[in-house]
Structures are given as C-alpha cells and as structure tokens.
Amino acid sequence: MKFRGKIVDVACLSHFTRVVSTISKLTKTCVLRLAADRLFFILCGKVANGGVAVWCELAQANIFDEYQLEGVSARDNEICLEVTPENIFRALRTVQNAKSVKVKLTKKHCPCLTVVAELPTATSVSRVVTHDVPVDVVPRRLWCEFDEPGVPDFDVSVCLPPLKTMRNVVDRMKNLSNFLVVEANLSGEMTLKIETDLVSVATHFRDLGNPHWGDPASQDGGRRRDPDAVAQARVDIRKLQQFLAGQQVNPSRAVCNIGHQRVLHLILLHDDVSLQYFIPAVA
C-alpha cells in the first residue's frame, strides 16, 4: 500500500484543515478511507443503540495538486485507516503558511500519516517541519462496515435556518433541558422546542424551503402528505449542539430530514464537500 499527496495552494490547505477540524469536533476517532478520486471520513456509530454516525466525503482533486494511491490490490484500490482527526488537525494547523505540504503513509514505529511541510524562509536554506501522526490500518475484511449509509426514509426534508442562529438557540435551550424536539413540515416551517415540568420553550422558523434529497419516492414512502402535517424527532440536545458548534465547512446548503426511522439526518453541502450526520431519536 502506498499513499502520497501534495498540497501547494494555500486556500486548499485551509479548506482541508477546516474539514478535518469539523470532524475532530464530532468524534475522537474515525476511519479515513482513501480512494482514487475521493476521501472519506467515516464514523459508523450504532444509531439504533444511541450512537451518532458521520459520513464526510470530499473530492481529492479539489485538495491535492499531486495524488498517488496504491491500494491493497488492483481490484480494491483503496486504503482504510483508523485515525484520530484531532491529531491530523494539529499537524495541519501548524503549517498553514507552508510553501507546500506533503501527506504520505509511512511505516515508522507504527503506521503513520506523515505531514511534511516546506516553510517559507528569507534565506536560501530551506526549513522543513515533519509531523508523524500514528494510524491503524483497517484490514480488508472489515471494510464492509464502512460502506456509505443509505439516506433513511423520511417524512419531511427541510432546509435548515442559518446555522449560527440555530446554534445560538440550541445553546440557550441546552441549559433548560437534556432533550430537544425538532419539528418540520412540507410548508418550509421548522420548530425547535423543549418541554419540561417547569418550562416550555419553542423557536419557530418559516420560509425555509423543502428540497429533494436522495430518491424522491423515499419521502413519506411515496405517498402524498399534507403540507402542514408535522414530522418530529426528539433528540439528545448535546449531540445536536456538538454538530452545530463543531462545523467549519460553511455550507452553501444545509438540510434536515425527519422520518419514521427514529433518526434525525442532517446534511451539509459545500462545493466538493458533503457531510452527513445521523442523530438517533429518543422516546
């Protein structure tokens, strides 16, 4: 197995660093899947058992100026690594002004993602900084656990309000309850609310729009739905707050799917980046 990538464009380096930072806020460990044309950060949490799941996908051509990959075989031309995204983020954060950054898979005392940065200098003497980030190679027999999750059947798909506004609302509600109810309908309306024995608080958003996501037939099982009928999911407010607080993707489009499969499905889209976040609903 071999992997080597080189980043020269500062904007691409900054963009990649923001993506890795976002992932590091969502999970301590995940799988980095390297393919010929794309990169994936994957957390396959058991949503049915209360865990969250993450699927982040980005095109390598929009990040790397040079990209070479030799997978486990000609047939399975991919590499899967278990990584700590916070460690990758720290390495990238320290080389933001580099003339070029190389990322490669190496074998030191253990498998590593090695980040080599050529830093600018006022003299003819070059300065090179190297970071070795330990990783674990995921065996081929386990790859089936990291396939792309299907878009869950949903009753309502609605565009999210500005994420900063939504984050401020959730931050305030977090001090009042451990759980939050997300409601939405096909009229582009969304409500965030908490209800306890002592207090009931709700924030309403209107004119958000209802996009199509995945197979249009998946929405309400292909049946016609009353535009004002509300779909809802009750979730752990800390998991939603973690998602809102950590994102640095600055999406051009953000979507929320609510359905009958007891999961809140959030999607952030920005040019070449797609980030999906699955939060289990609770009774």
Side-chain angles (χ1 to χ4, degrees), residues 70-99:
E70 294 182 15
V72 296
S73 68
R75 179 180 177 181
D76 299 312
N77 190 29
E78 295 185 0
I79 299 173
C80 287
L81 306 171
E82 185 175 2
V83 302
T84 302
E86 174 66 21
N87 292 342
I88 300 176
F89 167 66
R90 289 175 179 173
L92 294 174
R93 181 179 59 184
T94 62
V95 297
Q96 290 298 292
N97 296 323
K99 295 169 61 178

PDB file of all heavy atoms in Angstrom, residues 70-99:
ATOM      1  N   GLU A  70      -1.855   3.603  -4.150  1.00  0.00           N
ATOM      2  CA  GLU A  70      -1.837   2.182  -4.474  1.00  0.00           C
ATOM      3  C   GLU A  70      -2.497   1.450  -3.319  1.00  0.00           C
ATOM      4  O   GLU A  70      -1.949   1.374  -2.231  1.00  0.00           O
ATOM      5  CB  GLU A  70      -0.406   1.678  -4.679  1.00  0.00           C
ATOM      6  CG  GLU A  70       0.298   2.261  -5.896  1.00  0.00           C
ATOM      7  CD  GLU A  70       1.701   1.699  -6.073  1.00  0.00           C
ATOM      8  OE1 GLU A  70       1.995   0.657  -5.430  1.00  0.00           O
ATOM      9  OE2 GLU A  70       2.490   2.288  -6.832  1.00  0.00           O
ATOM     10  N   GLY A  71      -3.694   0.927  -3.563  1.00  0.00           N
ATOM     11  CA  GLY A  71      -4.462   0.298  -2.508  1.00  0.00           C
ATOM     12  C   GLY A  71      -3.973  -1.099  -2.173  1.00  0.00           C
ATOM     13  O   GLY A  71      -2.872  -1.512  -2.555  1.00  0.00           O
ATOM     14  N   VAL A  72      -4.806  -1.830  -1.470  1.00  0.00           N
ATOM     15  CA  VAL A  72      -4.408  -3.164  -1.023  1.00  0.00           C
ATOM     16  C   VAL A  72      -4.255  -4.125  -2.199  1.00  0.00           C
ATOM     17  O   VAL A  72      -3.527  -5.125  -2.114  1.00  0.00           O
ATOM     18  CB  VAL A  72      -5.426  -3.724  -0.017  1.00  0.00           C
ATOM     19  CG1 VAL A  72      -5.451  -2.878   1.245  1.00  0.00           C
ATOM     20  CG2 VAL A  72      -6.827  -3.802  -0.627  1.00  0.00           C
ATOM     21  N   SER A  73      -4.924  -3.831  -3.310  1.00  0.00           N
ATOM     22  CA  SER A  73      -4.801  -4.655  -4.514  1.00  0.00           C
ATOM     23  C   SER A  73      -5.305  -3.857  -5.696  1.00  0.00           C
ATOM     24  O   SER A  73      -5.886  -2.775  -5.539  1.00  0.00           O
ATOM     25  CB  SER A  73      -5.602  -5.959  -4.374  1.00  0.00           C
ATOM     26  OG  SER A  73      -6.993  -5.687  -4.359  1.00  0.00           O
ATOM     27  N   ALA A  74      -5.063  -4.378  -6.903  1.00  0.00           N
ATOM     28  CA  ALA A  74      -5.547  -3.693  -8.103  1.00  0.00           C
ATOM     29  C   ALA A  74      -7.073  -3.644  -8.112  1.00  0.00           C
ATOM     30  O   ALA A  74      -7.682  -2.677  -8.593  1.00  0.00           O
ATOM     31  CB  ALA A  74      -5.024  -4.410  -9.350  1.00  0.00           C
ATOM     32  N   ARG A  75      -7.684  -4.676  -7.583  1.00  0.00           N
ATOM     33  CA  ARG A  75      -9.153  -4.731  -7.547  1.00  0.00           C
ATOM     34  C   ARG A  75      -9.718  -3.815  -6.472  1.00  0.00           C
ATOM     35  O   ARG A  75     -10.719  -3.132  -6.688  1.00  0.00           O
ATOM     36  CB  ARG A  75      -9.604  -6.169  -7.309  1.00  0.00           C
ATOM     37  CG  ARG A  75     -11.115  -6.333  -7.232  1.00  0.00           C
ATOM     38  CD  ARG A  75     -11.488  -7.790  -7.002  1.00  0.00           C
ATOM     39  NE  ARG A  75     -12.924  -7.952  -6.861  1.00  0.00           N
ATOM     40  CZ  ARG A  75     -13.533  -9.109  -6.635  1.00  0.00           C
ATOM     41  NH1 ARG A  75     -12.798 -10.223  -6.535  1.00  0.00           N
ATOM     42  NH2 ARG A  75     -14.843  -9.174  -6.509  1.00  0.00           N
ATOM     43  N   ASP A  76      -9.096  -3.825  -5.317  1.00  0.00           N
ATOM     44  CA  ASP A  76      -9.537  -2.987  -4.189  1.00  0.00           C
ATOM     45  C   ASP A  76      -8.526  -1.865  -3.996  1.00  0.00           C
ATOM     46  O   ASP A  76      -7.707  -1.893  -3.075  1.00  0.00           O
ATOM     47  CB  ASP A  76      -9.660  -3.827  -2.921  1.00  0.00           C
ATOM     48  CG  ASP A  76     -10.681  -4.942  -3.065  1.00  0.00           C
ATOM     49  OD1 ASP A  76     -11.796  -4.650  -3.538  1.00  0.00           O
ATOM     50  OD2 ASP A  76     -10.360  -6.091  -2.715  1.00  0.00           O
ATOM     51  N   ASN A  77      -8.591  -0.894  -4.902  1.00  0.00           N
ATOM     52  CA  ASN A  77      -7.607   0.184  -4.915  1.00  0.00           C
ATOM     53  C   ASN A  77      -7.991   1.277  -3.922  1.00  0.00           C
ATOM     54  O   ASN A  77      -8.278   2.417  -4.290  1.00  0.00           O
ATOM     55  CB  ASN A  77      -7.464   0.757  -6.320  1.00  0.00           C
ATOM     56  CG  ASN A  77      -6.282   1.712  -6.426  1.00  0.00           C
ATOM     57  OD1 ASN A  77      -5.298   1.569  -5.702  1.00  0.00           O
ATOM     58  ND2 ASN A  77      -6.385   2.683  -7.318  1.00  0.00           N
ATOM     59  N   GLU A  78      -8.002   0.894  -2.653  1.00  0.00           N
ATOM     60  CA  GLU A  78      -8.334   1.825  -1.581  1.00  0.00           C
ATOM     61  C   GLU A  78      -7.497   1.484  -0.357  1.00  0.00           C
ATOM     62  O   GLU A  78      -6.937   0.393  -0.248  1.00  0.00           O
ATOM     63  CB  GLU A  78      -9.825   1.764  -1.225  1.00  0.00           C
ATOM     64  CG  GLU A  78     -10.756   2.216  -2.349  1.00  0.00           C
ATOM     65  CD  GLU A  78     -12.206   2.260  -1.900  1.00  0.00           C
ATOM     66  OE1 GLU A  78     -12.476   1.928  -0.717  1.00  0.00           O
ATOM     67  OE2 GLU A  78     -13.070   2.612  -2.712  1.00  0.00           O
ATOM     68  N   ILE A  79      -7.436   2.448   0.563  1.00  0.00           N
ATOM     69  CA  ILE A  79      -6.772   2.247   1.847  1.00  0.00           C
ATOM     70  C   ILE A  79      -7.707   2.783   2.924  1.00  0.00           C
ATOM     71  O   ILE A  79      -8.253   3.888   2.797  1.00  0.00           O
ATOM     72  CB  ILE A  79      -5.424   2.975   1.916  1.00  0.00           C
ATOM     73  CG1 ILE A  79      -4.469   2.460   0.836  1.00  0.00           C
ATOM     74  CG2 ILE A  79      -4.790   2.822   3.295  1.00  0.00           C
ATOM     75  CD1 ILE A  79      -3.169   3.251   0.748  1.00  0.00           C
ATOM     76  N   CYS A  80      -7.898   2.014   3.986  1.00  0.00           N
ATOM     77  CA  CYS A  80      -8.712   2.453   5.114  1.00  0.00           C
ATOM     78  C   CYS A  80      -7.834   2.534   6.358  1.00  0.00           C
ATOM     79  O   CYS A  80      -7.158   1.557   6.710  1.00  0.00           O
ATOM     80  CB  CYS A  80      -9.875   1.489   5.357  1.00  0.00           C
ATOM     81  SG  CYS A  80     -11.196   1.599   4.118  1.00  0.00           S
ATOM     82  N   LEU A  81      -7.876   3.682   7.011  1.00  0.00           N
ATOM     83  CA  LEU A  81      -7.052   3.924   8.191  1.00  0.00           C
ATOM     84  C   LEU A  81      -7.924   4.389   9.345  1.00  0.00           C
ATOM     85  O   LEU A  81      -8.801   5.252   9.161  1.00  0.00           O
ATOM     86  CB  LEU A  81      -5.991   4.991   7.902  1.00  0.00           C
ATOM     87  CG  LEU A  81      -5.084   4.770   6.693  1.00  0.00           C
ATOM     88  CD1 LEU A  81      -4.265   6.023   6.433  1.00  0.00           C
ATOM     89  CD2 LEU A  81      -4.169   3.568   6.922  1.00  0.00           C
ATOM     90  N   GLU A  82      -7.684   3.857  10.518  1.00  0.00           N
ATOM     91  CA  GLU A  82      -8.332   4.384  11.713  1.00  0.00           C
ATOM     92  C   GLU A  82      -7.459   5.513  12.245  1.00  0.00           C
ATOM     93  O   GLU A  82      -6.274   5.310  12.520  1.00  0.00           O
ATOM     94  CB  GLU A  82      -8.515   3.304  12.771  1.00  0.00           C
ATOM     95  CG  GLU A  82      -9.299   3.809  13.977  1.00  0.00           C
ATOM     96  CD  GLU A  82      -9.596   2.716  14.995  1.00  0.00           C
ATOM     97  OE1 GLU A  82      -9.156   1.569  14.759  1.00  0.00           O
ATOM     98  OE2 GLU A  82     -10.249   3.011  16.008  1.00  0.00           O
ATOM     99  N   VAL A  83      -8.031   6.706  12.367  1.00  0.00           N
ATOM    100  CA  VAL A  83      -7.247   7.892  12.696  1.00  0.00           C
ATOM    101  C   VAL A  83      -7.893   8.642  13.859  1.00  0.00           C
ATOM    102  O   VAL A  83      -9.074   8.467  14.176  1.00  0.00           O
ATOM    103  CB  VAL A  83      -7.127   8.840  11.478  1.00  0.00           C
ATOM    104  CG1 VAL A  83      -6.486   8.126  10.297  1.00  0.00           C
ATOM    105  CG2 VAL A  83      -8.494   9.388  11.072  1.00  0.00           C
ATOM    106  N   THR A  84      -7.085   9.496  14.461  1.00  0.00           N
ATOM    107  CA  THR A  84      -7.572  10.478  15.432  1.00  0.00           C
ATOM    108  C   THR A  84      -7.566  11.832  14.731  1.00  0.00           C
ATOM    109  O   THR A  84      -6.502  12.433  14.541  1.00  0.00           O
ATOM    110  CB  THR A  84      -6.663  10.518  16.680  1.00  0.00           C
ATOM    111  OG1 THR A  84      -6.612   9.216  17.264  1.00  0.00           O
ATOM    112  CG2 THR A  84      -7.189  11.509  17.709  1.00  0.00           C
ATOM    113  N   PRO A  85      -8.720  12.323  14.284  1.00  0.00           N
ATOM    114  CA  PRO A  85      -8.740  13.558  13.474  1.00  0.00           C
ATOM    115  C   PRO A  85      -8.140  14.767  14.181  1.00  0.00           C
ATOM    116  O   PRO A  85      -7.581  15.652  13.531  1.00  0.00           O
ATOM    117  CB  PRO A  85     -10.229  13.758  13.153  1.00  0.00           C
ATOM    118  CG  PRO A  85     -10.964  12.875  14.102  1.00  0.00           C
ATOM    119  CD  PRO A  85     -10.059  11.751  14.439  1.00  0.00           C
ATOM    120  N   GLU A  86      -8.223  14.812  15.504  1.00  0.00           N
ATOM    121  CA  GLU A  86      -7.640  15.931  16.241  1.00  0.00           C
ATOM    122  C   GLU A  86      -6.134  15.996  16.020  1.00  0.00           C
ATOM    123  O   GLU A  86      -5.562  17.090  15.878  1.00  0.00           O
ATOM    124  CB  GLU A  86      -7.949  15.783  17.732  1.00  0.00           C
ATOM    125  CG  GLU A  86      -7.278  16.817  18.629  1.00  0.00           C
ATOM    126  CD  GLU A  86      -7.769  18.239  18.395  1.00  0.00           C
ATOM    127  OE1 GLU A  86      -8.875  18.412  17.841  1.00  0.00           O
ATOM    128  OE2 GLU A  86      -7.030  19.176  18.767  1.00  0.00           O
ATOM    129  N   ASN A  87      -5.463  14.833  15.935  1.00  0.00           N
ATOM    130  CA  ASN A  87      -4.017  14.826  15.707  1.00  0.00           C
ATOM    131  C   ASN A  87      -3.669  15.306  14.302  1.00  0.00           C
ATOM    132  O   ASN A  87      -2.669  16.012  14.103  1.00  0.00           O
ATOM    133  CB  ASN A  87      -3.457  13.421  15.930  1.00  0.00           C
ATOM    134  CG  ASN A  87      -3.519  12.995  17.386  1.00  0.00           C
ATOM    135  OD1 ASN A  87      -3.655  13.827  18.284  1.00  0.00           O
ATOM    136  ND2 ASN A  87      -3.450  11.693  17.635  1.00  0.00           N
ATOM    137  N   ILE A  88      -4.479  14.926  13.318  1.00  0.00           N
ATOM    138  CA  ILE A  88      -4.249  15.407  11.949  1.00  0.00           C
ATOM    139  C   ILE A  88      -4.475  16.911  11.885  1.00  0.00           C
ATOM    140  O   ILE A  88      -3.712  17.648  11.251  1.00  0.00           O
ATOM    141  CB  ILE A  88      -5.176  14.678  10.964  1.00  0.00           C
ATOM    142  CG1 ILE A  88      -4.914  13.181  10.993  1.00  0.00           C
ATOM    143  CG2 ILE A  88      -4.976  15.209   9.547  1.00  0.00           C
ATOM    144  CD1 ILE A  88      -5.853  12.369  10.113  1.00  0.00           C
ATOM    145  N   PHE A  89      -5.527  17.380  12.560  1.00  0.00           N
ATOM    146  CA  PHE A  89      -5.808  18.811  12.574  1.00  0.00           C
ATOM    147  C   PHE A  89      -4.657  19.605  13.192  1.00  0.00           C
ATOM    148  O   PHE A  89      -4.250  20.652  12.666  1.00  0.00           O
ATOM    149  CB  PHE A  89      -7.103  19.085  13.344  1.00  0.00           C
ATOM    150  CG  PHE A  89      -7.323  20.537  13.670  1.00  0.00           C
ATOM    151  CD1 PHE A  89      -7.535  21.463  12.668  1.00  0.00           C
ATOM    152  CD2 PHE A  89      -7.287  20.975  14.985  1.00  0.00           C
ATOM    153  CE1 PHE A  89      -7.730  22.811  12.964  1.00  0.00           C
ATOM    154  CE2 PHE A  89      -7.481  22.306  15.296  1.00  0.00           C
ATOM    155  CZ  PHE A  89      -7.700  23.226  14.283  1.00  0.00           C
ATOM    156  N   ARG A  90      -4.104  19.121  14.288  1.00  0.00           N
ATOM    157  CA  ARG A  90      -2.995  19.832  14.935  1.00  0.00           C
ATOM    158  C   ARG A  90      -1.788  19.922  14.012  1.00  0.00           C
ATOM    159  O   ARG A  90      -1.110  20.959  13.972  1.00  0.00           O
ATOM    160  CB  ARG A  90      -2.619  19.123  16.232  1.00  0.00           C
ATOM    161  CG  ARG A  90      -3.645  19.266  17.348  1.00  0.00           C
ATOM    162  CD  ARG A  90      -3.252  18.443  18.561  1.00  0.00           C
ATOM    163  NE  ARG A  90      -4.207  18.590  19.663  1.00  0.00           N
ATOM    164  CZ  ARG A  90      -4.163  17.883  20.782  1.00  0.00           C
ATOM    165  NH1 ARG A  90      -3.198  16.983  20.943  1.00  0.00           N
ATOM    166  NH2 ARG A  90      -5.066  18.074  21.724  1.00  0.00           N
ATOM    167  N   ALA A  91      -1.525  18.842  13.285  1.00  0.00           N
ATOM    168  CA  ALA A  91      -0.392  18.868  12.355  1.00  0.00           C
ATOM    169  C   ALA A  91      -0.629  19.873  11.236  1.00  0.00           C
ATOM    170  O   ALA A  91       0.276  20.638  10.862  1.00  0.00           O
ATOM    171  CB  ALA A  91      -0.157  17.471  11.785  1.00  0.00           C
ATOM    172  N   LEU A  92      -1.834  19.891  10.689  1.00  0.00           N
ATOM    173  CA  LEU A  92      -2.147  20.810   9.582  1.00  0.00           C
ATOM    174  C   LEU A  92      -2.196  22.262  10.058  1.00  0.00           C
ATOM    175  O   LEU A  92      -1.804  23.175   9.325  1.00  0.00           O
ATOM    176  CB  LEU A  92      -3.478  20.422   8.942  1.00  0.00           C
ATOM    177  CG  LEU A  92      -3.528  19.069   8.219  1.00  0.00           C
ATOM    178  CD1 LEU A  92      -4.949  18.762   7.775  1.00  0.00           C
ATOM    179  CD2 LEU A  92      -2.581  19.060   7.015  1.00  0.00           C
ATOM    180  N   ARG A  93      -2.679  22.472  11.266  1.00  0.00           N
ATOM    181  CA  ARG A  93      -2.836  23.836  11.770  1.00  0.00           C
ATOM    182  C   ARG A  93      -1.499  24.558  11.886  1.00  0.00           C
ATOM    183  O   ARG A  93      -1.426  25.785  11.723  1.00  0.00           O
ATOM    184  CB  ARG A  93      -3.533  23.781  13.139  1.00  0.00           C
ATOM    185  CG  ARG A  93      -3.790  25.137  13.769  1.00  0.00           C
ATOM    186  CD  ARG A  93      -4.491  24.984  15.091  1.00  0.00           C
ATOM    187  NE  ARG A  93      -3.706  24.168  16.030  1.00  0.00           N
ATOM    188  CZ  ARG A  93      -4.136  23.823  17.238  1.00  0.00           C
ATOM    189  NH1 ARG A  93      -5.332  24.193  17.650  1.00  0.00           N
ATOM    190  NH2 ARG A  93      -3.359  23.100  18.036  1.00  0.00           N
ATOM    191  N   THR A  94      -0.438  23.817  12.148  1.00  0.00           N
ATOM    192  CA  THR A  94       0.868  24.439  12.367  1.00  0.00           C
ATOM    193  C   THR A  94       1.607  24.761  11.060  1.00  0.00           C
ATOM    194  O   THR A  94       2.675  25.367  11.109  1.00  0.00           O
ATOM    195  CB  THR A  94       1.765  23.521  13.217  1.00  0.00           C
ATOM    196  OG1 THR A  94       1.981  22.287  12.517  1.00  0.00           O
ATOM    197  CG2 THR A  94       1.122  23.227  14.557  1.00  0.00           C
ATOM    198  N   VAL A  95       1.042  24.369   9.905  1.00  0.00           N
ATOM    199  CA  VAL A  95       1.761  24.560   8.640  1.00  0.00           C
ATOM    200  C   VAL A  95       0.927  25.342   7.637  1.00  0.00           C
ATOM    201  O   VAL A  95       1.072  25.178   6.419  1.00  0.00           O
ATOM    202  CB  VAL A  95       2.181  23.198   8.046  1.00  0.00           C
ATOM    203  CG1 VAL A  95       3.155  22.494   8.982  1.00  0.00           C
ATOM    204  CG2 VAL A  95       0.974  22.305   7.773  1.00  0.00           C
ATOM    205  N   GLN A  96       0.055  26.222   8.127  1.00  0.00           N
ATOM    206  CA  GLN A  96      -0.868  26.936   7.241  1.00  0.00           C
ATOM    207  C   GLN A  96      -0.158  27.879   6.272  1.00  0.00           C
ATOM    208  O   GLN A  96      -0.697  28.204   5.204  1.00  0.00           O
ATOM    209  CB  GLN A  96      -1.891  27.704   8.070  1.00  0.00           C
ATOM    210  CG  GLN A  96      -2.895  26.821   8.780  1.00  0.00           C
ATOM    211  CD  GLN A  96      -3.743  26.011   7.826  1.00  0.00           C
ATOM    212  OE1 GLN A  96      -4.560  26.537   7.094  1.00  0.00           O
ATOM    213  NE2 GLN A  96      -3.542  24.700   7.807  1.00  0.00           N
ATOM    214  N   ASN A  97       1.032  28.330   6.603  1.00  0.00           N
ATOM    215  CA  ASN A  97       1.765  29.251   5.725  1.00  0.00           C
ATOM    216  C   ASN A  97       2.846  28.548   4.909  1.00  0.00           C
ATOM    217  O   ASN A  97       3.725  29.206   4.328  1.00  0.00           O
ATOM    218  CB  ASN A  97       2.394  30.375   6.555  1.00  0.00           C
ATOM    219  CG  ASN A  97       1.341  31.248   7.229  1.00  0.00           C
ATOM    220  OD1 ASN A  97       0.292  31.518   6.640  1.00  0.00           O
ATOM    221  ND2 ASN A  97       1.606  31.676   8.450  1.00  0.00           N
ATOM    222  N   ALA A  98       2.796  27.247   4.843  1.00  0.00           N
ATOM    223  CA  ALA A  98       3.839  26.490   4.150  1.00  0.00           C
ATOM    224  C   ALA A  98       3.787  26.704   2.645  1.00  0.00           C
ATOM    225  O   ALA A  98       2.737  26.978   2.060  1.00  0.00           O
ATOM    226  CB  ALA A  98       3.683  25.005   4.462  1.00  0.00           C
ATOM    227  N   LYS A  99       4.954  26.596   2.007  1.00  0.00           N
ATOM    228  CA  LYS A  99       5.023  26.665   0.544  1.00  0.00           C
ATOM    229  C   LYS A  99       4.391  25.437  -0.080  1.00  0.00           C
ATOM    230  O   LYS A  99       3.793  25.507  -1.155  1.00  0.00           O
ATOM    231  CB  LYS A  99       6.486  26.800   0.105  1.00  0.00           C
ATOM    232  CG  LYS A  99       7.143  28.095   0.550  1.00  0.00           C
ATOM    233  CD  LYS A  99       8.655  28.058   0.325  1.00  0.00           C
ATOM    234  CE  LYS A  99       9.016  27.875  -1.133  1.00  0.00           C
ATOM    235  NZ  LYS A  99      10.491  27.894  -1.330  1.00  0.00           N
TER     236      LYS A  99
END
